[in-house]
Amino acid sequence: MANTGMKLEPETEFIVKLHDINDNEPIFTKELYTVSVPERSNMGTSVTQVTATDADDSMYGNSAKLRYSISQGHPYFSVEPDTGIIRTALGPGEMDREKREHYQVVIEAKDMAGQRGGLTGTTMVNITLTDVNDNPPRFSQSIYQFSVPESMKVGTPVGRIKAVDKDLGKNAEMFYNVVGGDGLDMFDVITDKDSQEGIITVGKPLDYEKTRSYTLEIQVQNTQILDTRFLGYLPTKDMATVRIGIEDVDEPPLFERASYVMEVKEDAAVGTAVGSVRAMDPDGYNSPVRYSIDRRTDLDRLFNVHSGNGSIFITRPLDREEAAWHNISVIATEFSNRVPVYIRLLDVNDNAPTFASFYETFVCEKTKAGQKIQTVSAVDADDPAGGHKFFFSLATEGAYRGNFTVRDNGDNTAGVLTRRSSYSRLHKSVYLVPVVITDGDFPMQSSTGTLTVRVCTCDREGNMELCNAEAQTSSAGLSTGALVAILLCVIILLMIVVLFAALKKQKKKEPLIISKEDVRDNVVSYNDEGGGEEDTQAFDIGALRNPEAIEESKQRRDIIPSDTLYPPLRRTAIPSRDNADVRDFINQRVQDNDNNPTAPPYDSLATYAYEGTGSVAESLSSLGSASSEGDQDYNYLSDWGPRFRKLADMYGAEDSDCDS
C-alpha cells in the first residue's frame, strides 16, 4: 500500500516463448560452383554436391527443412532433393565433349520441405566435360601428290601430310609411318611434334633414269591408348596414299670408279700410257664426254689425258726419288665432274748407295793388326721391293791397302780394320781410306766413300791423348752452327754501338739562352748597405790582396757555367800586397774579360768592396762629392773601355742636353 509500503500481492514470474516464423530464405555456401566430369560418363555419375543453410529454427515446423531441385540443366543433369548431389542424367552416347563441352546448371533450395509458400535460394554450377581418347586421327584427304628433282639429297623434306584428331592434348598426339608402296625403302616419314604433321623425306638417292615415280602407303594412329567402346566398327587407324614424281635433272658424267690407282716405272719414256679413266652420262641422252686434267693438281704438267678416250700418258720425265706419288684430278665434262687419280711411280735402281754419314776416326800409333777402328753403313735413295742389300770393299786402286782393310759384316754394315801394328804420326798424320759400296739390285750401282783416319798418341787403354793440330782443331773446335751464332751476336753488338754513337752525335746541344724571357741583366741585391768607404770591417780586403787564396775553379755566379764556353783564365801571381798590386789585379781581370771572345754579350754587375786609390773617377758616392751632379764631367767614361760605354752614352747625353 502507499501508506504502509506493503505489497498487495506476492511477485509472479512469467515465461514468454517466441514462436519462429519462416522469415529467412535458404543461402548456399557458394554463389558459383565450377566443376568437371569426364565425357562419356555413365548415367548417374556424381558430378558435385551443393549445400545451403537456413537461419530459421529447425526444431519448430518446417521453416528450416530444405529441398533441392534443378531449375536449369535438364535433361543432362539431375540433383538429389535431400543431399544436393548433382549427377549425370544421360548416358555415354549423349555426353560427348566433341558435341558440347560446357554446361550451366542452376540449383534451387526451398524451405518448408519444398511446400507451397516456402522461401527459395539459388546457385549456379558450371560443368565442363573433360576429354577422353575416344576419336582416332583421320586424314583430311586420301591421296597426296608431290614432285621432287632427282638431285635432291638424302634427308631433304619432300612434303607434309596432316591428319586431324578431335581430341585434345596427349589424346590428339599421333605418329606416321610408311607401311607400303614401291617407295617403301626410298622415303621416310617423321612426325612434327608441334604441328602433328607427317614430314616425308628422301631416304635414298633418287635416279630419274631408273624410276620416275613412287607410291607410298602412309598410316597414322594415336600414341595413347584409344577408348574403343564408342567406335563400333570404325578403325582405330587411318591410311593415305602419297604419290611422288621424280623430275629429271641434267647431271654431270659419272665415273665408273670413285678413284683410280695407277702405277708406272719412273724411267718410263715420255708418251707412255699410265692407264685410263671412263665416265658416262647418266641422263637418257647419253651425251659424249670429254676428259681433261685439273692443272691445279698437276702444276708441273707431268701428265696429260686424251680428251676422247680418257687415256692418261706421261708428258715429262719422272723421278721417284723426287716424288713417289702424283695425285691428279681428271675432269669429265658434259657439265663438270671429276675423279681423283693416284699415280705411283715404281722404283728403278738409278741411285748409287752412299755412306750414311760423314765418317772420321783415329788410330793409335801403337796398336795391333786386325784392330777394328770404325763401323760404317750406307743409305740408298732407291726403294727396292726386297729391301736394300749393300756390299763393302776396299778400293782396288787405293794406296792404303797395306795399312787398312774392310770386312763386310753381311748386315749392310762393314768394319774398317788395321793391317799394321804401328803408325807414325810424324811420318803421316791422316789417311783417306776409300771404301767401295755396291747395291744388290739390277742394274747394279756403286759409289766410293772416303773414311778419314787420323793417327794419334794413345794411352795404354787405347784412349786418344794427342793428335796433330788439324785433328785437335777439328775435334775440339766449335761447330759451324755455333760459329755462325757467335758471328751474328758480334754483328748485332757492333750495330748497337754504331747506332748509339749516331744518336749521340745527332743530339742537340742545350742553347745558352733557353727562352726569350731569360734576361741576362742580372742584379745582385744585398740588404746590408754597409758603412761606406770608411767602413773597413764590412769586407776582408785580404781576399783582394791575396788573389792566390781564391779557388782556381770558382765560377762566376752571374752567368751560366760552361766548360766549353768559359775556358779557365791564366792568373798572374802578385807578389806584393799594396794597393798597386790590387789595382793591377783588378785591371788584369778587366782586361781578361774584355779580351775573352766567349764572354756572353750582356751587362753584368760586379761588386768590389775595395775601390782603390788614385782613381780618376774618385768616389762615385754623391754624399762624399764636393760638387753637385751638374758640375760633373762624364766624358772620361768613354776612355774606360766597352764596359763603361753604356754609362758614357747615358751621362754624356745628359750633358749635351744641358749645354743645348
Side-chain angles (χ1 to χ4, degrees), residues 9-26:
E9 57 182 40
E11 293 180 356
T12 302
E13 182 178 351
F14 296 93
I15 298 175
V16 179
K17 187 175 182 180
L18 298 178
H19 291 281
D20 183 40
I21 63 173
N22 188 19
D23 58 350
N24 292 281
E25 62 184 16

Side-chain angles (χ1 to χ4, degrees), residues 10-282:
E11 293 180 356
T12 302
E13 182 178 351
F14 296 93
I15 298 175
V16 179
K17 187 175 182 180
L18 298 178
H19 291 281
D20 183 40
I21 63 173
N22 188 19
D23 58 350
N24 292 281
E25 62 184 16
I27 299 175
F28 284 91
T29 56
K30 294 182 180 180
E31 294 182 359
L32 177 65
Y33 291 83
T34 302
V35 294
S36 63
V37 63
E39 65 170 331
R40 303 288 189 178
S41 296
N42 294 325
M43 182 184 297
T45 301
S46 175
V47 178
T48 188
Q49 182 179 14
V50 295
T51 304
T53 58
D54 195 325
D56 293 328
D57 189 1
S58 61
M59 303 300 295
Y60 181 78
N62 294 325
S63 298
K65 191 173 183 179
L66 305 180
R67 288 290 183 270
Y68 299 95
S69 62
I70 183 169
S71 60
Q72 178 181 329
H74 290 293
Y76 304 100
F77 299 95
S78 62
V79 62
E80 294 182 357
D82 296 330
T83 61
I85 297 176
I86 302 174
R87 298 182 183 275
T88 58
L90 297 178
E94 302 295 333
M95 303 296 291
D96 189 358
R97 186 199 64 82
E98 285 73 30
K99 295 180 179 179
R100 182 176 179 181
E101 183 177 2
H102 301 287
Y103 296 87
Q104 195 172 68
V105 179
V106 177
I107 303 298
E108 181 181 277
K110 188 174 183 180
D111 58 11
M112 297 298 293
Q115 296 177 6
R116 197 171 194 176
L119 301 178
T120 60
T122 59
T123 186
M124 183 175 293
V125 181
N126 290 332
I127 302 175
T128 301
L129 299 183
T130 58
D131 184 59
V132 297
N133 192 16
D134 58 342
N135 293 280
R138 293 287 183 260
F139 282 108
S140 57
Q141 59 191 75
S142 60
I143 298 176
Y144 296 85
Q145 291 186 348
F146 302 99
S147 61
V148 294
E150 62 176 332
S151 60
M152 184 169 287
K153 296 182 179 180
V154 174
T156 305
V158 175
R160 290 173 175 255
I161 57 177
K162 184 174 179 60
V164 178
D165 193 328
K166 297 179 181 180
D167 296 322
L168 299 176
K170 289 188 176 182
N171 295 329
E173 293 181 357
M174 61 192 79
F175 67 93
Y176 303 82
N177 60 327
V178 181
V179 295
D182 56 359
L184 179 64
D185 297 331
M186 300 298 296
F187 297 92
D188 298 320
V189 61
I190 58 177
T191 304
D192 188 336
K193 300 298 183 181
D194 297 328
S195 63
Q196 297 299 314
E197 292 178 321
I199 304 174
I200 302 173
T201 60
V202 179
K204 291 183 179 180
L206 305 176
D207 190 352
Y208 172 82
E209 287 70 30
K210 293 182 179 180
T211 306
R212 301 188 178 186
S213 64
Y214 294 92
T215 300
L216 304 177
E217 297 294 333
I218 297 181
Q219 175 182 276
V220 63
Q221 64 186 65
N222 282 125
T223 59
Q224 304 295 323
I225 298 176
L226 187 65
D227 190 349
T228 60
R229 293 177 300 166
F230 314 105
L231 293 179
Y233 296 101
L234 295 177
T236 59
K237 305 174 183 178
D238 198 15
M239 301 285 293
T241 301
V242 179
R243 296 174 181 172
I244 301 176
I246 308 302
E247 299 175 352
D248 187 25
V249 175
D250 197 356
E251 302 172 276
L254 294 179
F255 285 94
E256 293 180 345
R257 304 178 191 174
S259 63
Y260 293 82
V261 178
M262 303 175 183
E263 295 180 347
V264 62
K265 289 188 176 182
E266 61 176 326
D267 60 347
V270 173
T272 302
V274 180
S276 63
V277 297
R278 185 183 179 188
M280 297 183 62
D281 182 10

Side-chain angles (χ1 to χ4, degrees), residues 4 8 80 121-122 206 217 235 246 296 299 302 397 436 462 535 586 645:
T4 62
L8 296 177
E80 294 182 357
T122 59
L206 305 176
E217 297 294 333
I246 308 302
R296 293 174 297 180
L299 298 177
L302 300 175
E397 68 278 4
V436 178
D535 187 3
I586 295 174
R645 187 171 301 161

Side-chain angles (χ1 to χ4, degrees), residues 60 69 106 109 146 203 310 330 352 370 410 423 426 440 473 557 614 617 623 637:
Y60 181 78
S69 62
V106 177
F146 302 99
V330 177
Y423 297 86
L426 299 178
T473 303
R557 295 196 294 177
L623 297 178
L637 294 175

